[in-house]
Amino acid sequence: MDDETPRVLEANRSFYAALEHRNTDEMDECWSHAEDVACTHPGWHRLDGWDEVSRSWRAIFTNSRAWRVRCESERALVSGDLAIVFCIENLEAVGGQGDPARMQATNVFRKEGGAWKMVHHHASPMPEVEASEEEDTVN
Amino acid sequence: MDDETPRVLEANRSFYAALEHRNTDEMDECWSHAEDVACTHPGWHRLDGWDEVSRSWRAIFTNSRAWRVRCESERALVSGDLAIVFCIENLEAVGGQGDPARMQATNVFRKEGGAWKMVHHHASPMPEVEASEEEDTVN
């Protein structure tokens, strides 16, 4: 395991903490503010550049209700100043009745000024069906 | 631009050529065959390890009809032995009537034995609506 892996996973956890807290200052702190960052929220087109990405988080936090966010099945690849974390996101409305929403995420981090900053977030909904059912429906 | 970027983009194009050709040998050549590779097809759960990933391509190629695959809006980040390409995939059935399917993809490559091999592919459907409509529906 690369020495930087624990720091990358910590950066990934900070992102999910900011998401759970719906805190724009924390989210700002997680991300690189560069022009080349990108973000694909579930069911959205890709947003390019920090201006678009930061606006999207503000919109999400303004409109969303309190939720618990849990990240599981994390796997990290690290090389030099670039790192990728694959994980599953569980988002559950506080006091809600329904099942948690489950997303698959690919998160990319870049080391900037010694700190790991998010430069890309791609999340998409997990299928509801079991793997064995699903493979029958490949087309 | 990193010196390796053209080679990474070439690896990315080879992946889409293999997809268009529905050729398992070409697809095998594009990928790392390591245990840590992962693949999230649109609407699927994540597949882990080369065994699962290669089986999925075989299933897709067995069941799919001829299509044209075009990759656009490519952007690459490269550091050391790791590279990420974000792009939009257009898949259009040959002789089909409908609009092309559009997917957003995050592709990760790792340099293995001097060659860039795919280690992760995450694709999810693009929304049908325009960005301006979409942002009104964020929740």
Side-chain angles (χ1 to χ4, degrees), chain A residues 61-73:
Chain A
F61 292 162
T62 299
N63 292 298
S64 65
R65 297 187 188 169
W67 55 20
R68 266 185 296 273
V69 178
R70 194 161 43 84
C71 169
E72 60 185 45
S73 303

Side-chain angles (χ1 to χ4, degrees), chain B:
Chain B
M1 188 179 265
D2 190 287
D3 282 342
E4 289 290 317
T5 301
R7 298 185 61 209
V8 168
L9 291 173
E10 179 58 34
N12 195 59
R13 280 190 290 271
S14 296
F15 167 74
Y16 288 107
L19 188 60
E20 177 165 283
H21 301 153
R22 298 177 298 147
N23 184 306
T24 52
D25 291 341
E26 286 181 42
M27 193 55 86
D28 289 358
E29 181 65 23
C30 291
W31 279 79
S32 163
H33 295 189
E35 279 308 297
D36 65 356
V37 306
C39 183
T40 301
H41 298 293
W44 286 36
H45 66 104
R46 191 179 78 198
L47 305 172
D48 284 317
W50 175 239
D51 279 357
E52 280 191 1
V53 172
S54 62
R55 272 206 306 274
S56 75
W57 289 117
R58 278 165 175 68
I60 288 170
F61 293 161
T62 300
N63 292 297
S64 65
R65 297 185 188 171
W67 54 21
R68 268 186 295 274
V69 177
R70 195 160 43 84
C71 170
E72 60 185 44
S73 304
E74 297 156 292
R75 289 173 53 193
L77 295 175
V78 185
S79 175
D81 291 342
L82 205 58
I84 299 135
V85 180
F86 317 123
C87 57
I88 294 171
E89 310 173 350
N90 285 271
L91 298 99
E92 186 168 18
V94 170
Q97 302 295 318
D99 291 329
R102 284 165 61 83
M103 305 287 167
Q104 289 168 119
T106 302
N107 298 326
V108 183
F109 297 87
R110 181 168 59 197
K111 214 196 285 188
E112 296 184 356
W116 287 99
K117 298 291 185 179
M118 184 170 267
V119 294
H120 185 69
H121 170 65
H122 181 176
S124 59
M126 296 275 285
E128 298 294 323
V129 295
E130 292 301 310
S132 57
E133 297 174 53
E134 198 173 51
E135 285 172 6
D136 293 338
T137 65
V138 174
N139 56 37

Side-chain angles (χ1 to χ4, degrees), chain A:
Chain A
M1 187 179 269
D2 189 286
D3 283 343
E4 289 290 317
T5 301
R7 295 186 61 209
V8 168
L9 292 174
E10 179 59 32
N12 194 60
R13 280 190 289 271
S14 295
F15 167 73
Y16 288 106
L19 188 60
E20 177 164 285
H21 301 154
R22 298 177 297 148
N23 184 307
T24 52
D25 290 342
E26 286 181 42
M27 192 55 85
D28 289 357
E29 180 67 22
C30 290
W31 279 79
S32 163
H33 295 191
E35 278 308 296
D36 65 355
V37 307
C39 182
T40 301
H41 296 292
W44 286 36
H45 66 104
R46 190 179 77 198
L47 304 172
D48 285 316
W50 175 238
D51 278 356
E52 281 191 2
V53 172
S54 62
R55 273 205 305 272
S56 75
W57 288 118
R58 279 164 174 69
I60 288 169
F61 292 162
T62 299
N63 292 298
S64 65
R65 297 187 188 169
W67 55 20
R68 266 185 296 273
V69 178
R70 194 161 43 84
C71 169
E72 60 185 45
S73 303
E74 297 156 292
R75 290 173 51 195
L77 295 175
V78 185
S79 175
D81 290 341
L82 206 57
I84 299 135
V85 180
F86 317 124
C87 58
I88 296 171
E89 310 172 350
N90 286 271
L91 298 99
E92 186 167 18
V94 170
Q97 302 293 318
D99 291 330
R102 282 164 63 82
M103 306 288 168
Q104 290 168 117
T106 302
N107 297 326
V108 182
F109 297 87
R110 181 167 61 198
K111 214 197 285 190
E112 297 184 356
W116 288 99
K117 297 292 184 176
M118 183 169 269
V119 293
H120 186 68
H121 170 65
H122 182 175
S124 58
M126 297 276 286
E128 297 294 321
V129 296
E130 291 300 309
S132 56
E133 296 174 53
E134 201 173 51
E135 284 170 7
D136 293 338
T137 66
V138 176
N139 56 39

